Amino acid sequence: STVLNLLLRLRDPTRGRVLVNGVDARDIDIDRWRGLYSVVLQDAFLFRGTISENIGLGDPDVSTSDIEDAARTVRAHELISRYELGYEHLIRERGSNLSAGERQLVSFARALAHDPRILLLDEATANVDTETEALIQDALETLISRQTSLIVAHRLSTIREADRILVMHRGELVEQGSHDELIAHDGHYATLYRLQYDPTLDAH
């Protein structure tokens, strides 16, 4: 999460630099830079308004078609269609009339509808139930194939299919590679994976 904060320039480093294609992030126009990203956090923030308004955020460049296409991609359309008013269903403040999983699916649709160059997911599946996680996991495969995605997760099923996994331990980068490479390495990642999913796994 600290790395994402540095990347978005919510914080600037006190030592060292964040380089983007060799350019210091502090030398890039901050509004233009942040405009490249969409972010999905662990705790989805929804405001009082319709589902459509929560996804589109009043952006004139996001059409009704964009909103529905994004919802279909992240498997939220079926959920939304259950409501009598569909995309005009009124969400209460902070999404209190939706489950945690439903709130997160709406947040995923919001992120995708704005067509980001880079998608940032910060523990985006941490608070969802197993059934919803399966929907999100299916959607993630589509999202990751469409744009660069940076995913922060302790739940390793979220990142298993990532091209490159970076393992942080006590603020240090200790391992990196694909899932299979890290399992074979039998280090921190393999230990975490066995604890979460398969205690009998023979990494060798």
Side-chain angles (χ1 to χ4, degrees):
S1 298
T2 300
V3 172
L4 298 191
N5 285 334
L6 290 170
L7 187 60
L8 290 170
R9 291 200 58 204
L10 299 175
R11 300 178 184 175
D12 282 327
T14 55
R15 290 184 298 163
R17 297 181 295 165
V18 176
L19 299 179
V20 182
N21 291 335
V23 179
D24 193 316
R26 288 171 289 196
D27 295 332
I28 303 173
D29 178 77
I30 193 166
D31 291 331
R32 176 175 171 271
W33 177 240
R34 289 179 179 168
L36 299 176
Y37 295 89
S38 280
V39 183
V40 180
L41 303 174
Q42 178 175 344
D43 296 313
F45 177 78
L46 302 180
F47 55 85
R48 180 177 173 79
T50 66
I51 292 176
S52 181
E53 289 168 340
N54 269 273
I55 295 174
L57 296 178
D59 187 338
D61 293 329
V62 178
S63 67
T64 299
S65 177
D66 293 332
I67 290 170
E68 292 190 11
D69 286 346
R72 289 180 187 278
T73 299
V74 301
R75 314 301 187 264
H77 179 76
E78 182 178 345
L79 155 73
I80 295 168
S81 298
R82 295 174 188 167
Y83 295 111
E84 183 178 354
L85 297 178
Y87 287 84
E88 297 309 304
H89 179 74
L90 184 64
I91 296 177
R92 295 175 188 161
E93 192 70 31
R94 302 191 66 84
S96 61
N97 55 331
L98 300 181
S99 71
E102 291 170 342
R103 291 194 295 271
Q104 206 64 318
L105 285 173
V106 172
S107 293
F108 267 82
R110 172 195 290 167
L112 184 60
H114 293 266
D115 193 25
R117 292 282 300 277
I118 302 172
L119 182 66
L120 303 182
L121 309 179
D122 191 357
E123 297 287 3
T125 64
N127 290 337
V128 302
D129 57 82
T130 303
E131 181 180 357
T132 306
E133 185 195 7
L135 290 175
I136 290 176
Q137 194 63 41
D138 190 28
L140 276 176
E141 293 182 14
T142 302
L143 293 175
I144 291 171
S145 69
R146 292 174 56 154
Q147 69 269 103
T148 298
S149 301
L150 301 179
I151 305 170
V152 175
H154 287 91
R155 190 180 286 186
L156 301 185
S157 59
T158 307
I159 60 172
R160 176 170 177 160
E161 301 303 321
D163 296 324
R164 186 179 180 198
I165 300 169
L166 306 179
V167 183
M168 306 290 292
H169 181 65
R170 296 180 179 176
E172 299 288 335
L173 176 63
V174 294
E175 295 173 349
Q176 57 181 304
S178 68
H179 170 80
D180 290 340
E181 289 168 345
L182 292 172
I183 290 295
H185 181 65
D186 199 18
H188 287 280
Y189 180 88
T191 298
L192 287 171
Y193 190 81
R194 284 195 293 270
L195 288 172
Q196 288 189 25
Y197 299 107
D198 191 353
T200 66
L201 178 67
D202 181 357
H204 302 289

